[in-house]
Amino acid sequence: MSDHPTFIYMHALHSKALLRLVLFLGMSILVGYLCVSRSYHRVPLFEQEDFSWQLRKSHNGNDATNPLNAKVDGTRLIMEYVLSDSTPYSFASASLFFTDRSGKPALFDWSRFGKISFELRCFPAGTIRVGLTTFDDKLSKPDQLETYRSPSAYIKCNQDGARAELDLAHLTIPEWWLTLNKINPSDQGYSLAEVAQIEVGTSNASPVGVPSRIEIARIEMHERKYGYLYLLAAFLILAWTGFGFWFVKQYAAALANDLHGRMQKDLPLVAYQQLALEPHREKGKSAILKLLATRYADSELDLETVVSETGVNRNKVNDILKAEMGYTFIGYLNKLRLTEASRLLVENSNASIAEIAYSVGYKNSSYFNKLFKEEYQCTPKAFREACKAEARESTP
């Protein structure tokens, strides 16, 4: 089986295709990793272009009983405070209020950001609130921050510190703000296109009556750069489409070479060529081969006809064909018909498959297709296309 032409051609093609497939797969994984990793982009908050801010702080009570100190140390926001244990709903907060270069209030467009992350420490442990203040076109007044929406989230923190991450699209509007502005509690929508400030504050679960400290460092904004994903998609489409075209072309060429080899090998099987090469054959042998050479296209030709017209008995006919050609009567008859059919498929491109089948002695085109595929490992249509492709490639 290993020396069969189809095996040789296809084995070489599959080996080459497998090597390229492994290379393409490795390249696709590498490019995919690079593009996907680069699509996750982080921007340090304090390193954003044109980022200006003012530090603001807020608390209830007076400075003597409820002190609050807040500062930005490098890229860390630090709050130090003592919540009064005698004041109901005591709170403290610090915010980075956004401004333009001239110090006037500004709204930043954070719609491209999906998340915000930071390192968080609390002394002592407690729960804090981190939120944004966003402008609402229908409700907000530029000089009144209490009319801005304030989506936020609560986070537990302790002295050990941890990396926290918030989904900016799924923060919660406080109920008190919705009630104050007479808005339905289900209205949790807000826009990140106009953000006025980012705020850090205490919660009802924060410790009271003790000196407390909150540190927030390495604040980073997360965005997806979809251009890298589009680039990856374009690369994969072009690369794998190119690989597919290459494989189809190589497969067609390999099939054409295989079929060409088969045609060359089968030419000596045509009876009239055998007779021309070996005129000295015995009369019985010559009669059988001549009859098959001239009548193979007759759909009514069968073994009984050969026996009747040559005078050679049934067993002798098969013995002669087996010894001379290596086929039984049916096998040799089909070989002649299929060899002629392969020639007609190439030379008579206007004839349909059914017409060619009928012209070489097959009444049933489906049966012809079955035999042809068994012989050439492809359909008559594919055979014709492969030979056309080979002819185009060989044309200067």
Side-chain angles (χ1 to χ4, degrees):
M1 182 65 181
S2 61
D3 60 349
H4 194 282
T6 301
F7 179 86
I8 296 174
Y9 288 126
M10 294 307 170
H11 178 72
L13 171 62
H14 291 161
S15 298
K16 188 186 298 184
L18 180 60
L19 177 60
R20 294 202 177 194
L21 178 63
V22 172
L23 292 176
F24 265 103
L25 187 59
M27 186 182 300
S28 298
I29 292 174
L30 177 60
V31 174
Y33 172 78
L34 293 175
C35 289
V36 171
S37 61
R38 288 179 178 272
S39 72
Y40 289 96
H41 186 59
R42 296 185 180 187
V43 181
L45 178 66
F46 291 100
E47 294 181 15
Q48 290 188 81
E49 187 176 355
D50 298 328
F51 179 69
S52 299
W53 49 272
Q54 293 178 358
L55 182 61
R56 292 187 175 185
K57 52 187 179 180
S58 175
H59 60 94
N60 61 351
N62 54 61
D63 290 341
T65 60
N66 193 24
L68 168 62
N69 294 314
K71 63 180 180 179
V72 174
D73 180 13
T75 59
R76 291 190 304 164
L77 174 60
I78 301 174
M79 284 177 56
E80 295 177 331
Y81 59 91
V82 177
L83 292 182
S84 173
D85 54 3
S86 61
T87 303
Y89 307 111
S90 180
F91 74 90
S93 68
S95 60
L96 298 176
F97 182 75
F98 303 150
T99 63
D100 58 21
R101 290 298 184 182
S102 63
K104 296 180 180 180
L107 298 175
F108 282 15
D109 183 2
W110 280 5
S111 58
R112 71 182 189 276
F113 298 118
K115 296 178 180 180
I116 183 172
S117 63
F118 43 83
E119 291 181 354
L120 180 63
R121 290 175 181 268
C122 294
F123 308 87
T127 299
I128 68 169
R129 181 180 63 85
V130 178
L132 307 177
T133 302
T134 64
F135 189 81
D136 187 313
D137 293 333
K138 296 180 180 179
L139 298 172
S140 302
K141 297 179 180 179
D143 56 344
Q144 299 178 20
L145 285 181
E146 65 271 14
T147 64
Y148 288 41
R149 289 183 178 259
S150 53
S152 59
Y154 292 93
I155 306 173
K156 291 183 177 181
C157 65
N158 54 41
Q159 298 92 327
D160 297 332
R163 188 76 180 171
E165 188 175 277
L166 297 181
D167 185 346
L168 293 178
H170 295 88
L171 301 177
T172 302
I173 306 292
E175 187 175 352
W176 66 263
W177 187 92
L178 296 171
T179 302
L180 178 66
N181 290 277
K182 299 179 181 180
I183 298 175
N184 191 298
S186 65
D187 185 1
Q188 292 287 324
Y190 55 91
S191 172
L192 293 173
E194 297 177 304
V195 180
Q197 68 178 9
I198 179 171
E199 183 181 14
V200 179
T202 60
S203 71
N204 293 336
S206 297
V208 298
V210 297
S212 302
R213 178 185 174 98
I214 298 175
E215 295 181 4
I216 295 183
R218 293 185 58 192
I219 306 174
E220 294 179 329
M221 311 300 296
H222 299 239
E223 66 174 316
R224 292 299 300 274
K225 290 186 173 293
Y226 290 98
Y228 286 103
L229 300 182
Y230 299 146
L231 178 64
L232 174 60
F235 169 79
L236 292 177
I237 291 173
L238 291 176
W240 287 99
T241 299
F243 176 79
F245 277 123
W246 172 84
F247 181 79
V248 170
K249 183 177 180 181
Q250 292 297 314
Y251 181 83
L255 182 60
N257 288 333
D258 174 52
L259 296 176
H260 180 73
R262 285 171 173 270
M263 291 178 65
Q264 295 298 320
K265 179 182 178 181
D266 290 343
L267 286 178
L269 292 171
V270 180
Y272 58 81
Q273 291 181 329
Q274 294 290 340
L275 290 172
L277 292 172
E278 302 182 39
H280 60 280
R281 293 177 183 273
E282 297 178 3
K283 183 177 180 181
K285 296 178 183 178
S286 299
I288 294 171
L289 294 175
K290 184 175 181 179
L291 177 61
L292 290 173
T294 56
R295 298 270 298 280
Y296 67 89
D298 183 357
S299 60
E300 302 298 331
L301 181 64
D302 57 15
L303 184 56
E304 295 301 327
T305 302
V306 174
V307 170
S308 174
E309 296 193 15
T310 62
V312 180
N313 67 56
R314 175 190 296 268
N315 292 334
K316 188 64 173 178
V317 170
N318 276 314
D319 290 342
I320 291 174
L321 292 176
K322 193 70 176 178
E324 295 293 320
M325 301 298 178
Y327 294 95
T328 63
F329 169 76
I330 293 297
Y332 183 59
L333 181 59
N334 283 328
K335 193 70 175 180
L336 289 174
R337 288 174 172 176
L338 295 174
T339 301
E340 179 64 8
S342 67
R343 184 185 68 82
L344 293 175
L345 285 168
V346 177
E347 297 180 2
N348 193 354
S349 59
N350 294 326
S352 68
I353 303 299
E355 289 173 340
I356 289 177
Y358 183 79
S359 69
V360 297
Y362 294 107
K363 295 180 179 180
N364 188 321
S365 59
S366 296
Y367 181 60
F368 166 70
N369 286 336
K370 175 178 177 297
L371 293 177
F372 194 94
K373 190 171 184 179
E374 290 176 355
E375 178 67 22
Y376 293 102
Q377 282 72 53
C378 66
T379 64
K381 181 179 179 181
F383 180 94
R384 173 177 276 172
E385 293 300 324
C387 291
K388 286 182 180 179
E390 182 188 25
R392 285 194 298 267
E393 291 183 0
S394 61
T395 301

